[in-house]
Amino acid sequence: MTGFEPYKDEKFNPSGEVASRLNGRVINGIEVHGAIIPVSFKRVRDAIAKNIEEVKPKIIINLGLSPKITCIRVERVAINIMDGGPDNDGYTATDEPIVSDGPAAYFATIPVKKIVEALRKEGIPAIVSNSAGTFLCNCTMYHTLHYIATKKLDAIAGFMHIPYTLKQAAEKPPRSFLGMPPPGMPIDIIEKAIEIAIKVSAEYLRSRSL
Amino acid sequence: MTGFEPYKDEKFNPSGEVASRLNGRVINGIEVHGAIIPVSFKRVRDAIAKNIEEVKPKIIINLGLSPKITCIRVERVAINIMDGGPDNDGYTATDEPIVSDGPAAYFATIPVKKIVEALRKEGIPAIVSNSAGTFLCNCTMYHTLHYIATKKLDAIAGFMHIPYTLKQAAEKPPRSFLGMPPPGMPIDIIEKAIEIAIKVSAEYLRSRSL
Amino acid sequence: MTGFEPYKDEKFNPSGEVASRLNGRVINGIEVHGAIIPVSFKRVRDAIAKNIEEVKPKIIINLGLSPKITCIRVERVAINIMDGGPDNDGYTATDEPIVSDGPAAYFATIPVKKIVEALRKEGIPAIVSNSAGTFLCNCTMYHTLHYIATKKLDAIAGFMHIPYTLKQAAEKPPRSFLGMPPPGMPIDIIEKAIEIAIKVSAEYLRSRSL
Amino acid sequence: MTGFEPYKDEKFNPSGEVASRLNGRVINGIEVHGAIIPVSFKRVRDAIAKNIEEVKPKIIINLGLSPKITCIRVERVAINIMDGGPDNDGYTATDEPIVSDGPAAYFATIPVKKIVEALRKEGIPAIVSNSAGTFLCNCTMYHTLHYIATKKLDAIAGFMHIPYTLKQAAEKPPRSFLGMPPPGMPIDIIEKAIEIAIKVSAEYLRSRSL
């Protein structure tokens, strides 16, 4: 489980906050390690590798903030491209591959649709997303899946986009999203959503290994 | 305090639910009466008049659901027009005045901006809205303010639009709002928002009468 | 017919451009006078009065830009409030009445729905709008209708919001509207839309005077 | 150049219309073949293969309608998944690979960013898109790029999403996109956009072969 440090002028990143909150918790017999990773094209790969080597996780869910979404988005695919910025190092990428000889894309290996269904059943709006963008979120997801694939690790991984917290949304310019505040979700519900995703992934892993 | 009965095929109306929840509660020394009113151009006027006669409220806040909003909307103005439908009686109005010799509009008399500020301060996204539409929400607000004006009652009134509950949003077609679920807010937070609006209105009333 | 001068940092205002283009044209026997008015709470009233006194129009349609609309919006009502800014004089209004003893609102007297229908029939997306906001557009519409009402002039008036031109939209930040460019409409089509509105208003005036 | 037949209850598909309009035209020395392909997961692959075998094109641009976009979208990537429906055969796919042993994704080989820049320069709003969805548009793009890759053809290919025509938008439910009509673009401008894309692709091909 990872979340990001705050991006640029933002003081708070709910993805990092949720990773911190869940760090050390035990969910359905799964011990959760929550780490904060840098918003940096250059440094994120090593941060991911280090975390995986240390924790040796069975399930990896990276989290990222998406500022204009009304729901939890579970990403289906990561593509081999970096295009955007500047990141927190001030670096802007323009149509560069993440891994120069890597495949064009990796599909998430966590049970994307089962997670979405479970979230909705618990009253938390959620969708499958077909693009994690071309900035750090996609980059993190690609690096993670590529690391697992090339090291032939026995782990599943994926990425989830979360909205602003409700409190953050209340502090944003009040007409900045279609004449309204941007959408937000209480942090406790975002946290619960990630717990559910971990549970569903753990059940999937168990059922698969039978 | 009023909310609406469910509209058409919806099984649940959060505006009615909040009115029921708050019915009988005492907030800052204010006793709250919560009533459910019909989604009916024809019957809503009498329902409002009957409630006012029975309860003799000092503060009237009518609530209504707005399906695509990310925040609480405090309405500034009600206009003398009915245009839309069908309502729950099957009636569709086309450019009819609500009160044939009534003024073109009434401004809300609750402290609209103070309510919005207080909500934001509590981490609940909120805006002032300049249109309550031309359906039952606007009609209810107009009738209420017209009744107070013509009967020269010593009461303040206004209208607040609330979003879907988070649970409702999770049950809606998942791509129905810009490829996402529609925005939603937990019912407990909507309830808290209305409590805040009542408190702020009560304080305003007290400060005004000093 | 009026449009606005460019607002703040914008170099171009399509509402002013259309007013200039139509200035001097004769449409269905109606001679069109197009004037540019200032984006100024303080100065707009006199600009309107002067134009009306000089031209003595039978039909007044004020135009304004609305940056995030996909269609032509024909306004139904102007409310007696100024709230927003800064305008081009640097003035920000906060909940001030436009006319201190004026009525709460005026309804447009041009045939709003007939114009919308005619536009759609010609393949131009259009809707009736129930709020012209609380900035200069609403202010202009209110002043115009108030002037006609208090001077008992034999003229009809209304306000139409137009989108960015397609060219303007192409120059805006490409992710500034829901991850896309803001909506735009070719200037020639906006111009045609206003011609249609003038025609429909003229026909309405003739039919009314029979 | 291909466009789709109308989808389900729609009577008109601007992507097919543009393909028909451009069929036979000569742009910058490039002879354009425009073909209509079926909205069918099962049949689209053979339609694409047949067209390529017959025409032996150097540049393939497939077009598709996206109902809620304000601009031309040039797709960056096609992913190996079918998820959605029903298509015009009544078939709904659920998380099926397009090609069972195919790569996870293909990147477009037309000059995506150059096309976007050229469109904007001509006053036509355009963006790079990172997802062509999981329905027929993505499927068509994937099949085309897979066919070129596996047959080792000397051709470049890509996919462009176009909005509704302005006329179509005017006929849609007038409150169906955020309380407004959906965005639309005049068909002549869509046609011009595709001409520009062909020109830019041809220049790119020439410069590359030097």
Side-chain angles (χ1 to χ4, degrees):
Chain A
M1 161 79 37
T2 74
F4 286 106
E5 63 182 11
Y7 176 51
K8 282 200 282 190
D9 300 335
E10 300 268 2
K11 277 172 209 133
F12 176 78
N13 191 322
S15 72
E17 170 70 13
V18 170
S20 300
R21 282 184 177 210
L22 291 178
N23 186 29
R25 201 167 303 174
V26 178
I27 297 171
N28 273 26
I30 302 279
E31 193 183 339
V32 181
H33 291 256
I36 309 280
I37 57 176
V39 180
S40 158
F41 280 125
K42 297 266 162 82
R43 294 180 285 126
V44 75
R45 193 247 165 226
D46 286 353
I48 291 164
K50 190 166 161 283
N51 280 323
I52 296 179
E53 289 314 305
E54 282 176 18
V55 177
K56 300 195 192 312
K58 291 287 176 218
I59 299 164
I60 305 170
I61 299 177
N62 303 121
L63 301 181
L65 168 67
S66 183
K68 307 223 157 173
I69 58 178
T70 59
C71 65
I72 303 289
R73 261 174 41 191
V74 188
E75 297 298 335
R76 187 199 287 273
V77 67
I79 60 175
N80 190 10
I81 202 98
M82 297 185 289
D83 192 25
D87 65 12
N88 278 354
D89 296 339
Y91 183 71
T92 297
T94 305
D95 290 345
E96 302 172 35
I98 296 170
V99 174
S100 54
D101 58 349
Y106 284 104
F107 286 104
T109 48
I110 55 171
V112 168
K113 288 223 173 148
K114 282 181 205 292
I115 293 171
V116 167
E117 275 161 39
L119 290 173
R120 278 193 206 142
K121 223 172 165 178
E122 293 290 320
I124 302 175
I127 54 169
V128 177
S129 165
N130 297 309
S131 171
T134 58
F135 195 46
L136 258 297
C137 293
N138 175 71
C139 185
T140 298
M141 183 177 170
Y142 188 93
H143 272 311
T144 302
L145 288 159
H146 186 68
Y147 193 88
I148 291 171
T150 51
K151 303 280 180 184
K152 297 194 167 52
L153 304 183
D154 181 25
I156 59 177
F159 194 97
M160 291 171 68
H161 268 111
I162 61 176
Y164 281 133
T165 67
L166 200 66
K167 192 170 170 303
Q168 272 183 303
E171 288 162 358
K172 295 287 163 192
R175 304 278 174 189
S176 55
F177 177 80
L178 302 168
M180 304 181 286
M185 202 181 268
I187 181 89
D188 291 353
I189 289 176
I190 298 175
E191 186 184 342
K192 189 180 152 194
I194 307 310
E195 284 185 355
I196 291 168
I198 294 170
K199 267 186 224 176
V200 171
S201 298
E203 279 159 27
Y204 169 76
L205 211 56
R206 273 178 213 130
S207 72
R208 218 186 51 168
S209 65
L210 293 180
Chain B
M1 163 79 36
T2 73
F4 285 107
E5 65 183 7
Y7 176 52
K8 281 202 284 192
D9 300 336
E10 300 270 0
K11 277 174 207 129
F12 176 79
N13 191 322
S15 71
E17 171 69 13
V18 170
S20 299
R21 281 183 178 213
L22 291 179
N23 187 29
R25 201 169 302 174
V26 177
I27 297 171
N28 272 27
I30 301 279
E31 192 183 339
V32 181
H33 291 257
I36 310 280
I37 56 176
V39 181
S40 159
F41 280 125
K42 295 267 163 82
R43 291 181 285 127
V44 75
R45 194 246 162 226
D46 286 353
I48 292 165
K50 190 165 161 285
N51 279 324
I52 296 180
E53 289 314 306
E54 282 177 16
V55 177
K56 300 194 192 312
K58 290 287 175 217
I59 299 164
I60 304 171
I61 299 177
N62 303 120
L63 302 180
L65 167 67
S66 183
K68 307 224 159 171
I69 58 177
T70 60
C71 64
I72 303 290
R73 260 174 41 192
V74 188
E75 297 299 335
R76 187 199 286 272
V77 66
I79 59 176
N80 190 10
I81 201 98
M82 298 185 287
D83 192 25
D87 63 14
N88 278 355
D89 296 340
Y91 183 72
T92 296
T94 305
D95 291 345
E96 301 172 35
I98 296 170
V99 174
S100 52
D101 57 351
Y106 283 103
F107 286 105
T109 48
I110 55 172
V112 167
K113 288 222 172 147
K114 282 180 205 293
I115 293 171
V116 166
E117 276 161 38
L119 291 173
R120 280 195 205 140
K121 221 170 168 180
E122 293 290 320
I124 302 175
I127 54 169
V128 176
S129 165
N130 297 308
S131 170
T134 57
F135 194 45
L136 260 296
C137 293
N138 175 71
C139 186
T140 298
M141 184 177 171
Y142 188 93
H143 271 311
T144 302
L145 288 160
H146 186 67
Y147 193 88
I148 290 171
T150 50
K151 302 280 179 183
K152 299 190 164 52
L153 303 183
D154 181 25
I156 58 177
F159 195 98
M160 292 172 68
H161 268 111
I162 61 176
Y164 281 133
T165 67
L166 200 66
K167 192 169 171 300
Q168 271 184 304
E171 289 162 358
K172 296 287 161 189
R175 304 279 175 189
S176 56
F177 177 80
L178 302 167
M180 305 182 285
M185 201 180 269
I187 181 88
D188 291 353
I189 289 175
I190 299 175
E191 186 184 340
K192 189 180 153 195
I194 306 310
E195 283 185 357
I196 290 168
I198 294 171
K199 268 186 223 176
V200 171
S201 298
E203 280 160 26
Y204 168 75
L205 211 56
R206 271 177 213 130
S207 72
R208 218 187 49 167
S209 64
L210 292 180
Chain C
M1 162 80 37
T2 75
F4 285 107
E5 65 183 8
Y7 177 52
K8 283 200 284 193
D9 301 336
E10 299 270 1
K11 277 172 210 132
F12 176 78
N13 191 322
S15 72
E17 171 70 13
V18 170
S20 299
R21 282 185 179 211
L22 291 179
N23 186 28
R25 200 167 307 172
V26 177
I27 297 170
N28 272 27
I30 301 278
E31 192 183 339
V32 181
H33 291 256
I36 309 278
I37 56 177
V39 180
S40 160
F41 280 125
K42 295 267 162 82
R43 293 181 285 127
V44 75
R45 193 247 163 226
D46 285 353
I48 291 164
K50 191 167 160 282
N51 280 323
I52 296 180
E53 289 314 306
E54 281 176 18
V55 177
K56 300 197 194 311
K58 291 285 176 219
I59 299 164
I60 305 170
I61 299 178
N62 303 120
L63 301 181
L65 168 67
S66 181
K68 307 224 158 172
I69 58 177
T70 59
C71 64
I72 304 289
R73 260 174 42 191
V74 188
E75 297 298 335
R76 188 200 286 274
V77 66
I79 60 175
N80 190 10
I81 202 99
M82 298 186 287
D83 192 25
D87 64 13
N88 278 354
D89 297 339
Y91 182 73
T92 297
T94 305
D95 290 345
E96 302 172 34
I98 297 171
V99 174
S100 52
D101 57 349
Y106 284 103
F107 286 104
T109 48
I110 55 171
V112 167
K113 289 223 172 147
K114 281 179 206 294
I115 293 171
V116 167
E117 276 161 39
L119 290 173
R120 279 195 205 139
K121 223 170 166 180
E122 292 290 320
I124 303 175
I127 55 169
V128 177
S129 165
N130 297 308
S131 171
T134 57
F135 195 47
L136 258 297
C137 293
N138 175 72
C139 186
T140 299
M141 183 177 171
Y142 188 93
H143 272 311
T144 303
L145 288 160
H146 186 67
Y147 193 88
I148 291 172
T150 50
K151 302 280 179 185
K152 297 193 165 53
L153 303 183
D154 182 25
I156 59 176
F159 194 97
M160 291 172 69
H161 268 111
I162 61 175
Y164 280 134
T165 66
L166 200 67
K167 193 169 171 302
Q168 271 185 304
E171 289 162 358
K172 295 287 161 190
R175 304 278 175 189
S176 55
F177 178 81
L178 302 168
M180 304 182 286
M185 201 180 269
I187 181 89
D188 291 353
I189 289 176
I190 298 175
E191 185 183 342
K192 189 180 153 195
I194 306 310
E195 284 185 354
I196 290 169
I198 294 170
K199 267 186 223 175
V200 171
S201 298
E203 280 159 26
Y204 169 75
L205 210 56
R206 271 176 212 132
S207 73
R208 218 187 50 169
S209 64
L210 291 181
Chain D
M1 164 78 37
T2 74
F4 285 107
E5 64 181 10
Y7 177 51
K8 282 201 284 190
D9 300 335
E10 300 269 2
K11 278 171 209 134
F12 176 79
N13 192 321
S15 71
E17 172 70 12
V18 171
S20 299
R21 282 182 178 213
L22 292 177
N23 187 28
R25 201 168 306 174
V26 178
I27 298 172
N28 273 26
I30 301 278
E31 191 183 340
V32 182
H33 291 256
I36 309 280
I37 58 177
V39 181
S40 159
F41 280 126
K42 295 268 161 82
R43 293 181 284 127
V44 75
R45 194 248 162 225
D46 285 354
I48 292 163
K50 190 166 160 281
N51 280 325
I52 296 179
E53 289 313 305
E54 282 177 16
V55 177
K56 299 196 194 312
K58 290 286 175 216
I59 300 164
I60 305 171
I61 299 178
N62 302 121
L63 301 180
L65 168 67
S66 182
K68 308 224 158 172
I69 58 177
T70 59
C71 63
I72 303 289
R73 262 174 40 192
V74 187
E75 297 298 335
R76 188 198 284 273
V77 66
I79 60 175
N80 190 10
I81 201 97
M82 297 185 287
D83 192 25
D87 64 12
N88 278 354
D89 296 340
Y91 183 73
T92 296
T94 306
D95 290 345
E96 301 172 36
I98 296 170
V99 175
S100 52
D101 57 349
Y106 283 104
F107 286 104
T109 48
I110 54 172
V112 167
K113 288 222 174 148
K114 282 180 204 293
I115 292 171
V116 166
E117 275 162 38
L119 290 173
R120 279 195 206 141
K121 221 171 168 179
E122 292 291 320
I124 302 175
I127 55 171
V128 177
S129 165
N130 297 308
S131 171
T134 58
F135 195 47
L136 260 295
C137 293
N138 175 71
C139 186
T140 298
M141 183 176 171
Y142 187 94
H143 272 311
T144 302
L145 288 160
H146 186 68
Y147 193 88
I148 291 171
T150 51
K151 302 280 179 186
K152 297 192 165 55
L153 304 183
D154 181 25
I156 59 176
F159 194 97
M160 291 171 69
H161 268 111
I162 61 175
Y164 281 133
T165 66
L166 200 66
K167 193 170 170 301
Q168 272 184 303
E171 288 162 358
K172 294 287 163 191
R175 304 278 174 189
S176 55
F177 177 80
L178 302 168
M180 303 181 286
M185 201 180 270
I187 182 88
D188 291 353
I189 289 176
I190 298 175
E191 185 183 342
K192 188 180 154 195
I194 306 310
E195 284 185 356
I196 291 168
I198 294 170
K199 268 187 223 175
V200 171
S201 298
E203 280 160 25
Y204 168 77
L205 210 58
R206 271 177 214 131
S207 72
R208 218 186 50 168
S209 65
L210 292 182

